[in-house]
């Protein structure tokens, strides 16, 4: 064996699939009749539950750059952003497929790092990697499909909110934009992986008070507009209430980032934005917030007049067209 | 509006999703509680059925080239090769997700052509496009996930065959390799789209005689080895029986292609290769072949001794590593 780094081409597809399968473990589980290794994976659906399916991708040069991120972080993030979509529907993760593209001279160590990160995240959120695809391409990209389950008919959809609903976000906003900028400016590795609010989503789906939910991938300004779509309602947001990380303003100043812009349009925070019907007449029950397992902040309200007030006009960010 | 071709960047993501949704039609159907438009799609599973999931990709410069294929053919093939994986499990298509990557300056007309081809195929095989993702990338690629259903526990797996089983293929082999070479040599468009054997797969799954099945994506030589994996068995193939298209040898000669190589390792024929237990003692029932709705050919048999005999040693083709 030469001392030069081994590449995907020298190892070959079958051996690469083997490497993945060794990390994922069992080919069949209580829920999956069959995982990696055949033409397709086979799921035993759970009676009384709907299946929730979503896809999202991470592309080299667009979502990540090898100088800036480690392979492990790239692998972890590829699954985390998908799990966030399940969380936004209130679904519990059931499994995932990874369609991975990379050049033939891609280093095996980098491949292994990506897979290790992906499988780490998959075990953490009980979302087994059950299948997918490997293909050659000029640049690396990870296209992931996640499958989740939600009690029949209960998924948290957009647009179902009503005037009077209260708007909440989990966690803090702007952290992702700041971390990205710091990595770019400081030449250090971007180590931040978003935390998909999987448990919180499942608790929200069990509460009749939750009227709609979305995850914040593009930023509050854009995603709030999506949440309102089809409802005929608008929103009043209190800018001063939007939660940011400790030391956020100073951190932004140090790297020349506008904190308002970072927090509203920076995107990639993957927190949940949801609407909640306040309990009519009765006192609000403070317990529900604690039960979510993550801090939530009341940032505004749904109003009958269309449009969003309280937010400055800003250009959306994003990896889109 | 300028006369210059519109691009994905000028149209923007929301409008692009709208364009897709207009073509796919209904956001909800009898089976899908929700299609395109939210964080995820929602499927109502069918009692008594397993779900089958598979991913496959088509990458510019690897699986297709813009000079050689039309956008419509690229879109059609991206779904067809995935449906072939469902067919190989004996599953009926339920729906699909498309994760599409393309540059910002990608022409809108090409995008529309890809989507039109994809949706055409999706309607043809009753496999609605229910979700997915759009992202920027240097080059175009289509990563597809298909969902199918198969009666509980009945999916056609690999490796379950036994010595004495008979090996069959549907259709003819080598057609894809010949069409590809002709397009390359003649500078004409490659218009061939594989026909996924979706109906045949579903009929095979209903027959207790079917012991294993795989689709021929890489070529008979490679895929037969996959089919045998884990069974401890081998196969004896009769090279002379392998069915090829009419005028195949002459066609191969004209473009300098070795017919044996094209037929065995050309790949991309997407026919089914399956093993069938011959009816013990009784006469074979000729009816089963007709019921498949596609011609089948008995090309060899499963034997107890490992390895494949009857095929010349050839290097596998493929888009893999």
């Amino acid at each position: 064996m030469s001392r030069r780094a081994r590449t995907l081409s020298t190892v070959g597809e079958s051996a690469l699939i083997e490497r993945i399968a060794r990390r994922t473990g069992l080919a069949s589980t209580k829920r999956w009749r069959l995982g990696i290794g055949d033409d397709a994976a086979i799921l035993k659906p759970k009676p009384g539950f709907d299946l929730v399916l979503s896809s999202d991708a991470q592309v080299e040069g667009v979502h990540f750059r090898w100088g800036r991120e480690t392979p492990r972080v790239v692998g972890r993030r590829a699954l985390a952003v998908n799990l966030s979509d399940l969380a936004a529907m209130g679904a519990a993760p059931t499994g995932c497929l990874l369609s991975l593209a990379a050049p033939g001279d891609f280093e095996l160590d980098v491949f292994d790092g990506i897979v290790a990160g992906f499988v780490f995240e998959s075990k953490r959120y009980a979302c087994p990697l059950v299948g997918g695809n490997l293909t050659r391409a000029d640049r690396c990209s990870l296209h992931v499909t996640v499958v989740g389950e939600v009690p029949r008919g209960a998924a948290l959809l957009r647009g179902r909110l009503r005037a009077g609903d209260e708007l909440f976000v989990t966690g803090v906003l702007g952290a992702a934009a700041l971390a990205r900028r710091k990595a770019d400016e400081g030449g250090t590795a971007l180590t931040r992986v978003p935390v998909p609010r999987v448990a919180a989503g499942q608790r929200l789906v069990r509460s009749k008070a939750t009227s709609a939910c979305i995850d914040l991938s593009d930023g509050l300004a854009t995603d709030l507009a999506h949440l309102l779509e089809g409802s005929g309602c608008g929103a009043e947001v209190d800018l001063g209430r939007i939660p940011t990380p400790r030391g956020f303003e100073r951190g932004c100043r140090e790297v020349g980032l506008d904190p308002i812009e970072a927090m509203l349009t920076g995107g990639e925070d993957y927190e949940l934005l949801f609407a909640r019907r306040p309990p009519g007449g009765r006192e609000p029950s403070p317990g529900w917030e604690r039960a979510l397992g993550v801090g939530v902040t009341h940032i505004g309200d749904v109003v009958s007049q269309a449009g969003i007030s309280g937010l400055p006009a800003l250009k959306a960010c994003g990896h889109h067209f």
Side-chain angles (χ1 to χ4, degrees), chain A:
Chain A
M1 206 67 210
S2 109
R3 296 279 313 180
R4 272 200 288 178
R6 282 196 292 168
T7 66
L8 300 194
S9 289
T10 58
V11 174
E13 190 187 13
S14 300
L16 292 173
I17 294 174
E18 262 304 308
R19 288 178 96 82
I20 297 176
R22 266 205 305 274
R23 270 190 201 275
T24 59
L26 294 176
S28 67
T29 64
K30 216 175 108 191
R31 300 301 323 285
W32 290 89
R33 204 177 288 283
L34 191 68
I36 292 171
D38 210 298
D39 295 300
I42 308 176
L43 173 69
K44 301 178 243 179
K46 196 148 76 173
F49 282 74
D50 285 336
L51 274 148
V52 172
L53 293 121
S54 185
S55 288
D56 206 347
Q58 296 278 304
V59 176
E60 182 188 348
V62 177
H63 302 87
F64 65 89
R65 298 198 308 270
W66 288 126
R68 201 179 61 173
E69 275 120 323
T70 64
R72 189 179 163 84
V73 163
V74 169
R76 287 188 59 193
R77 189 186 299 126
L79 183 53
V81 302
N82 273 278
L83 290 172
S84 181
D85 279 320
L86 291 185
M89 303 295 275
T94 310
C96 58
L97 294 93
L98 168 61
S99 186
L100 176 67
D105 62 1
F106 202 70
E107 284 184 25
L108 186 62
D109 284 349
V110 179
F111 172 87
D112 284 343
I114 291 175
V115 172
F118 193 95
V119 173
F120 172 84
E121 207 72 7
S122 120
K123 292 191 170 166
R124 185 172 189 169
Y125 293 98
C127 186
L129 175 60
V130 295
N133 185 59
L134 294 178
T135 183
R136 272 193 296 119
D138 288 345
R139 299 190 85 171
C140 179
S141 65
L142 293 85
H143 294 253
V144 180
T145 299
V146 280
V147 183
E149 280 162 329
V150 69
R152 189 185 293 152
L156 300 173
L157 308 186
R158 304 177 183 178
R160 296 231 172 133
L161 27 69
R162 285 195 312 224
D165 286 357
E166 296 174 336
L167 291 168
F168 292 85
V169 292
T170 60
V172 293
L173 306 190
L178 179 56
R180 242 172 21 237
R181 177 65 72 94
K182 274 185 180 166
D184 288 342
E185 299 277 310
T188 56
L190 178 60
T191 55
R192 192 179 179 279
V193 175
V195 177
R197 299 302 181 187
V198 168
Q202 288 173 71
R203 292 206 181 98
L204 286 171
V205 92
R206 276 184 236 129
S207 159
K208 284 208 172 74
T210 313
S211 52
C213 186
I214 191 171
D215 68 320
L216 294 170
S217 52
D218 295 342
L220 182 63
T222 306
D223 291 323
L224 176 54
H226 286 314
L227 188 73
L228 293 166
E229 261 167 35
S231 71
C233 295
E236 275 175 17
V237 178
D238 185 342
L239 193 59
R241 285 205 214 162
I242 296 174
T244 53
R246 199 186 300 267
F248 182 64
E249 299 225 351
R250 200 193 59 226
C252 284
R253 263 199 315 275
E254 283 169 9
V255 291
L257 196 63
D258 176 359
I260 304 286
E261 217 173 287
M263 141 185 129
L264 295 181
T265 69
E268 300 189 3
D269 283 315
Y270 294 99
E271 295 294 347
L272 296 181
L273 165 66
F274 60 95
R276 197 171 183 276
R277 221 147 277 174
R282 288 170 294 133
E283 282 299 297
S285 56
W288 74 268
E289 298 185 22
R290 240 190 343 265
L292 290 186
V294 55
V296 295
T297 309
H298 178 194
I299 61 159
D301 300 287
V302 178
V303 296
S304 54
Q305 200 190 336
I308 299 170
S309 65
L311 295 183
L314 292 167
K315 206 170 153 273
C317 93
H319 303 304
H320 311 298
F321 295 106

